Amino acid sequence: MTKDSGVQFDIPADMRAVAEKSVEQAKEAFEVFISAAEQAVNAAETQAASARAGAKEIGELAIGYAERNIGSSFDFAQRLMRAKDPNDVLMLHSDYVNGQLATLANQARELSKCAANLAGPKQTAMR
């Protein structure tokens, strides 16, 4: 088969115009699609970054609570070592338990509030 067989291939002007318009419309549609895809990727990246920051914040909060709670336990142990009689021990124990219960309740509230803020306005509005 030779490249030049002498056959002329002419596309009518109307068909060429329709084909060119179709190609241009397809190109525009593709550009709109790509733009929407880029926006979706950017939104996903923003949400992922926000989630990472929120997880870090909650982790740091929990570690801070753990440090304070352990420190409180060591303080309690030191006070117990200085107790002079069983009544002192009972009073120290009662104060420690009551204080820890209040502290843990406050910490749970703060963690819940932080988690709700991370969930976003849709989640907090449902409560």
Side-chain angles (χ1 to χ4, degrees):
M1 210 176 204
T2 63
K3 283 187 167 183
D4 189 12
S5 61
V7 177
Q8 192 92 15
F9 185 69
D10 285 332
I11 299 174
D14 290 348
M15 285 183 70
R16 186 179 303 274
V18 168
E20 287 175 356
K21 185 172 182 167
S22 294
V23 168
E24 187 60 34
Q25 288 175 341
K27 183 179 176 185
E28 289 173 6
F30 181 73
E31 288 172 356
V32 168
F33 169 78
I34 290 297
S35 176
E38 288 173 347
Q39 288 176 358
V41 167
N42 289 338
E45 287 174 351
T46 299
Q47 289 175 345
S50 177
R52 280 191 302 275
K56 182 179 180 190
E57 181 182 345
I58 287 178
E60 289 172 349
L61 196 59
I63 288 171
Y65 291 159
E67 289 174 342
R68 281 183 256 153
N69 293 341
I70 290 168
S72 177
S73 295
F74 283 126
D75 289 345
F76 171 63
Q78 288 176 338
R79 283 186 298 236
L80 275 180
M81 295 299 136
R82 287 180 263 171
K84 297 185 184 353
D85 58 46
N87 285 337
D88 279 349
V89 171
L90 288 174
M91 184 185 73
L92 287 170
H93 183 263
S94 176
D95 289 347
Y96 173 75
V97 169
N98 289 334
Q100 280 303 107
L101 288 174
T103 297
L104 291 173
N106 286 335
Q107 291 170 350
R109 260 193 308 279
E110 288 181 28
L111 280 172
S112 294
K113 187 190 303 183
C114 188
N117 287 341
L118 288 176
K122 292 179 185 175
Q123 296 296 325
T124 55
M126 291 179 6
R127 292 186 176 182

